[in-house]
Amino acid sequence: MAKQFFVLGIGGTGMRCIESLIHLCAMGMFDDTVVHLLALDTDKNNGNFARLKELKDKYLTIKGSNSADRVPLKNTYFSADLRYYEFSPNYEKKSNFKAVFNYGDTKFDQKRAIETDLADLVLTDNVEEFDLKHGYRAQTHLGSMMMYHSIIEAANDTMPNDLKRFLQELNTSTQSDTAKVFILGSVFGGTGASSIPIIPQAISKAASIISPGSANVLQSAYFGSTLLTAYFSFNQPSGDERASQKVIATSDKFALNSQVAMMFYDDDTTVKRTYQRLYMIGTQDQSYKPMVTNDNQPTHTITGGAEQKNDCHYIELLAASAALDFFNTPNDKLAEIKKNGSPAYLYRAVDDLLQFRDFVGSDLDKAFARRFGTLVVFAMLTLRPDYDFPESVRSGRQQDIAGFRDIDPAQLVALKDYFKLFYLDVTPEAITDGWLVQLNRSAGGGDKFLFNPLITNTVKQKGVGGTWNKNFKWNAHIYRDKDKDITKGWSFNTGLFSNPFDAFKKKFIEVNNSSIADSIQNPAERLYKTIYETLGRIYNIKD
Amino acid sequence: MILHSNDPHWQLFIIAAAVVVAMVVFILSYITAHAIPYEGGNDRSFVKRRIWWIIWTVMGAVGYLAFYIFRYSEFQNAKGRIDYSLEAKYVITYIVGTVIVVALSAIVSLVVMRLKRNSKFGSILGRNN
């Protein structure tokens, strides 16, 4: 039976961490697992939220247009069966604290006036009145309370919603097994920082509301979270912006917020009793500006909305890898921690030159290197117009390859779109960096991020657009020489009359004839599996 | 070498040469087919292999016939006259030999193509999906 894993991504950083987690699923790092993803954000129109939705749509379609076709698999790309849920507190009509809590009426209700007095004691006027549609803006004292009540309200709602569906799955899993719940988010911003401390209590309470008498999630499940400290900065707001927004998050406070949050997580008894593993992740400085690229130089502070579409950062992959580590942690270890009530605070110091083991540890570094590296090759085989491999196989244009004519074309359209988000989107009109290229840039570019620098430089620029460099020797230039300790021999020669594609196709035909993927029902997934095996063999990778 | 009608081996020699040429045609076609790389997208590399297979077969037949011209002078008898009966036999043997070159190389190739349908050589047969 497939394993179950419950992940919540909260706030803008949480959304990007989920993106990285989905890419890990695409690499095949969550074999034979149903991953339940709950994206939780206050800012429904956020650009990062939109990109995440696009990414998960592609992933789901890649596995099958019908949800019934999607099953967890092993040793292949897109092996995890994703179930996606999202929840946003509704701040469309009531968009600030005073409106949500009916402050006006309460203040003049003699029996409840004390509640508004209490609110006034801990919240300033500006905090009570700022627009919540762009999140909690680093006001975590407000955010924790608002998020908790939003979750409880959604559980009490008579109409079905994604949150209830997620909790139903969690309840079911808790009754049959010990569920693992992991929370991705930052501790220095607004929504994530507000929610991490209260989420276990909130979802446990909400789960008991939707299924009275069911197992106590808080007691039965294991909880882990990232403690993601400040790692980026953005433009300081002008005086006019400060005045118009009432409350605005400024990145110069992120380091201080992080420090205070870490002290809280080190000290708070509830947190210690709730979480079994906390992964402390951060960078040395905040020099990274995710919204600034050569083509985009914002002149104002972006508080949220569609404009807020931050580039991804390698630290988000570290956070997603923390989720993987938590998932792979044996239950007895977590049970012991839960019993003692003292969580494990985990961290790992890494060099400027990032290595595979920095993300997944020494036990999984080879598997990670294989799956990540060959997924990049799969992306090239899909995106380069001179290859267009999966679609040419489906359409019969690769006339030597049989058995894939009944693939649903929508799956391969989604595959191509997915790889544009994963790697690069190259057209004569524009070049759009995908996740991998953004991560490389965040690490400092060149060979600092896991791979041979040539893989992020495989495009010939022509004006604003470009074309793929057909001379790129992907048979030999995927991995760095510096990683020879794990990737030694992971390349192949092509011979005088051959080329990398020729060698790949020859091996593909051989693998396809060996019926290695015959047990997989979905023909598209059979194709992914055959490509997975083929690339493993031509690169001489031994598991 | 002057051919004599009472020499029992010359016809066998010519036919054996045809078999050898047919095998050479097959081997060259096979090697060439495997030297032509697969192509991405709309893979038309099998057409190149097919063309080269035809080229080698034609070249084999032509080369074999060239040998006929090379040996032509040897039909003259000692007085410098042409021995027409020997020449007729020779021509017929050569025609049979040429047919053997083309047919044998084609048959062997087709059998190997069928047996190795998923190889580059097998791709000469065309669509396999």
Side-chain angles (χ1 to χ4, degrees):
Chain A
M1 193 182 161
K3 294 164 276 183
Q4 309 274 321
F5 188 35
F6 295 84
V7 181
L8 293 92
I10 309 170
T13 301
M15 297 302 113
R16 292 191 301 281
C17 290
I18 295 186
E19 276 186 65
S20 285
L21 191 90
I22 291 177
H23 291 304
L24 282 183
C25 291
M27 291 170 207
M29 295 303 290
F30 286 91
D31 272 353
D32 200 22
T33 307
V34 179
V35 180
H36 299 270
L37 287 176
L38 173 62
L40 214 157
D41 202 359
T42 42
D43 184 2
K44 265 198 276 198
N45 303 315
N46 185 283
N48 285 127
F49 205 172
R51 192 172 64 199
L52 169 63
K53 282 189 232 182
E54 187 187 355
L55 184 68
K56 67 87 187 167
D57 280 342
K58 301 306 172 199
Y59 188 101
L60 296 181
T61 313
I62 284 167
K63 283 197 68 84
S65 299
N66 301 317
S67 58
D69 295 339
R70 298 179 206 133
V71 289
L73 297 168
K74 258 182 175 171
N75 295 323
T76 180
Y77 305 114
F78 307 100
S79 58
D81 180 13
L82 286 191
R83 310 272 169 87
Y84 178 84
Y85 316 82
E86 62 185 45
F87 172 68
S88 294
N90 187 354
Y91 297 132
E92 291 300 321
K93 286 181 185 162
K94 296 180 178 180
S95 62
N96 62 37
F97 168 80
K98 283 187 170 173
V100 172
F101 281 90
N102 207 8
Y103 183 93
D105 292 344
T106 310
K107 192 173 178 67
F108 297 104
D109 179 344
Q110 284 195 339
K111 287 179 187 164
R112 296 181 60 206
I114 192 169
E115 292 174 22
T116 55
D117 290 344
L118 184 61
D120 291 339
L121 188 67
V122 294
L123 306 172
T124 63
D125 283 349
N126 277 348
V127 170
E128 287 176 344
E129 288 168 9
F130 76 83
D131 188 348
L132 294 165
K133 286 202 286 289
H134 283 187
Y136 300 135
R137 305 187 188 202
Q139 306 302 309
T140 48
H141 52 318
L142 171 84
S144 293
M145 176 176 62
M146 306 267 316
M147 184 55 85
Y148 182 89
H149 285 285
S150 298
I151 290 171
I152 302 303
E153 253 178 50
N156 279 317
D157 196 339
T158 50
M159 300 297 286
N161 59 47
D162 264 10
L163 181 72
K164 285 164 88 170
R165 279 187 279 275
F166 177 83
L167 294 171
Q168 195 62 57
E169 292 287 350
L170 182 57
N171 265 337
T172 309
S173 183
T174 307
Q175 279 159 13
S176 60
D177 197 5
T178 311
K180 283 179 177 167
V181 183
F182 197 82
I183 294 148
L184 293 162
S186 77
V187 297
F188 60 89
T191 309
S194 303
S195 305
I196 293 174
I198 56 95
I199 279 292
Q201 279 80 8
I203 61 171
S204 182
K205 173 84 177 158
S208 68
I209 291 169
I210 62 164
S211 300
S214 63
N216 183 331
V217 171
L218 201 55
Q219 279 177 8
S220 312
Y222 297 127
F223 288 91
S225 178
T226 52
L227 299 179
L228 232 164
T229 58
Y231 65 95
F232 64 82
S233 58
F234 46 76
N235 290 348
Q236 291 298 312
S238 65
D240 288 348
E241 283 170 333
R242 281 178 197 273
S244 67
Q245 296 285 338
K246 295 188 191 304
V247 172
I248 194 162
T250 56
S251 56
D252 60 329
K253 298 282 194 309
F254 281 174
L256 183 64
N257 295 351
S258 301
Q259 190 181 358
V260 174
M262 296 303 260
M263 288 163 68
F264 167 78
Y265 285 106
D266 183 45
D267 186 53
D268 187 75
T269 312
T270 311
V271 165
K272 286 182 170 180
R273 283 190 189 144
T274 309
Y275 286 101
Q276 282 68 59
R277 285 197 153 200
L278 293 160
Y279 296 81
M280 299 186 287
I281 305 172
T283 53
Q284 286 179 329
D285 57 44
Q286 289 174 248
S287 55
Y288 182 66
K289 291 186 184 293
M291 282 177 261
V292 179
T293 62
N294 289 339
D295 306 328
N296 182 33
Q297 305 277 342
T299 53
H300 60 288
T301 304
I302 300 166
T303 57
E307 252 192 309
Q308 195 179 67
K309 202 173 193 175
N310 295 4
D311 274 1
C312 297
H313 192 285
Y314 71 84
I315 205 168
E316 292 141 15
L317 179 60
L318 278 168
S321 304
L324 176 67
D325 182 76
F326 182 72
F327 176 65
N328 288 329
T329 306
N331 280 0
D332 52 354
K333 229 178 190 177
L334 296 173
E336 198 183 324
I337 294 171
K338 200 174 178 79
K339 195 175 154 194
N340 297 337
S342 54
Y345 293 89
L346 302 160
Y347 67 93
R348 181 184 289 139
V350 300
D351 273 343
D352 278 353
L353 192 80
L354 292 163
Q355 294 181 297
F356 291 103
R357 71 175 68 93
D358 297 335
F359 291 84
V360 295
S362 301
D363 292 344
L364 284 177
D365 60 352
K366 249 184 161 173
F368 182 49
R370 177 219 168 120
R371 288 159 192 236
F372 197 170
T374 58
L375 189 68
V376 175
V377 178
F378 186 10
M380 278 184 224
L381 289 166
T382 306
L383 293 175
R384 274 179 54 170
D386 56 325
Y387 294 158
D388 194 17
F389 185 69
E391 176 53 26
S392 62
V393 166
R394 186 204 65 79
S395 61
R397 287 182 292 137
Q398 287 293 332
Q399 58 105 36
D400 315 276
I401 297 172
F404 301 103
R405 295 300 293 274
D406 49 350
I407 290 176
D408 176 1
Q411 285 181 271
L412 299 188
V413 171
L415 183 73
K416 199 175 265 188
D417 291 342
Y418 166 79
F419 279 134
K420 287 175 186 171
L421 293 167
F422 169 75
Y423 189 15
L424 263 176
D425 184 8
V426 182
T427 67
E429 291 76 37
I431 300 170
T432 310
D433 293 343
W435 174 79
L436 172 62
V437 179
Q438 291 172 20
L439 259 56
N440 178 271
R441 193 167 48 238
S442 74
D447 66 350
K448 289 188 172 167
F449 181 72
L450 302 177
F451 294 106
N452 190 312
L454 289 173
I455 72 158
T456 52
N457 193 22
T458 55
V459 172
K460 285 181 178 171
Q461 215 152 359
K462 286 180 184 168
V464 289
T467 54
W468 289 90
N469 178 7
K470 291 182 182 174
N471 297 321
F472 175 58
K473 301 278 183 210
W474 50 267
N475 55 314
H477 295 148
I478 294 296
Y479 298 102
R480 295 181 299 201
D481 288 343
K482 296 179 174 92
D483 297 312
K484 281 274 185 272
D485 54 330
I486 57 164
T487 64
K488 192 177 178 189
W490 289 12
S491 62
F492 59 97
N493 293 320
T494 55
L496 190 60
F497 294 103
S498 186
N499 58 48
F501 180 82
D502 179 56
F504 164 78
K505 186 172 163 181
K506 258 191 280 189
K507 189 61 80 178
F508 181 93
I509 292 170
E510 185 187 310
V511 173
N512 193 31
N513 290 335
S514 70
S515 309
I516 201 159
D518 280 5
S519 59
I520 299 172
Q521 300 293 315
N522 186 321
E525 299 227 66
R526 245 187 354 252
L527 176 67
Y528 314 149
K529 168 75 177 174
T530 311
I531 291 173
Y532 176 89
E533 288 295 332
T534 304
L535 291 174
R537 290 187 197 185
I538 53 168
Y539 280 97
N540 306 305
I541 301 171
K542 290 172 186 73
D543 280 332
Chain B
M1 189 180 88
I2 306 297
L3 290 176
H4 297 284
S5 56
N6 57 354
D7 182 348
H9 299 300
W10 68 266
Q11 282 179 303
L12 188 65
F13 174 78
I14 289 172
I15 297 301
V19 172
V20 170
V21 172
M23 287 302 103
V24 170
V25 165
F26 162 72
I27 289 165
L28 288 174
S29 306
Y30 190 87
I31 291 169
T32 311
H34 283 271
I36 295 170
Y38 286 122
E39 294 166 9
N42 191 12
D43 187 356
R44 306 288 294 168
S45 61
F46 74 100
V47 176
K48 290 181 190 169
R49 287 181 207 107
R50 192 179 286 169
I51 290 169
W52 271 104
W53 179 57
I54 293 166
I55 288 172
W56 282 125
T57 307
V58 170
M59 280 176 71
V62 169
Y64 183 76
L65 283 171
F67 196 63
Y68 160 78
I69 295 161
F70 171 70
R71 299 289 297 269
Y72 190 79
S73 61
E74 295 171 9
F75 300 121
Q76 294 171 356
N77 59 22
K79 291 176 183 171
R81 289 181 186 158
I82 293 169
D83 184 339
Y84 289 107
S85 69
L86 184 59
E87 187 193 21
K89 267 188 178 176
Y90 187 79
V91 169
I92 288 168
T93 309
Y94 246 98
I95 289 169
V96 171
T98 308
V99 170
I100 287 172
V101 169
V102 175
L104 186 64
S105 66
I107 289 166
V108 172
S109 294
L110 288 167
V111 168
V112 175
M113 282 175 205
R114 292 293 302 174
L115 289 174
K116 302 190 80 171
R117 188 69 182 86
N118 292 307
S119 69
K120 285 182 174 176
F121 195 60
S123 76
I124 292 172
L125 290 174
R127 188 166 295 284
N128 188 26
N129 57 17

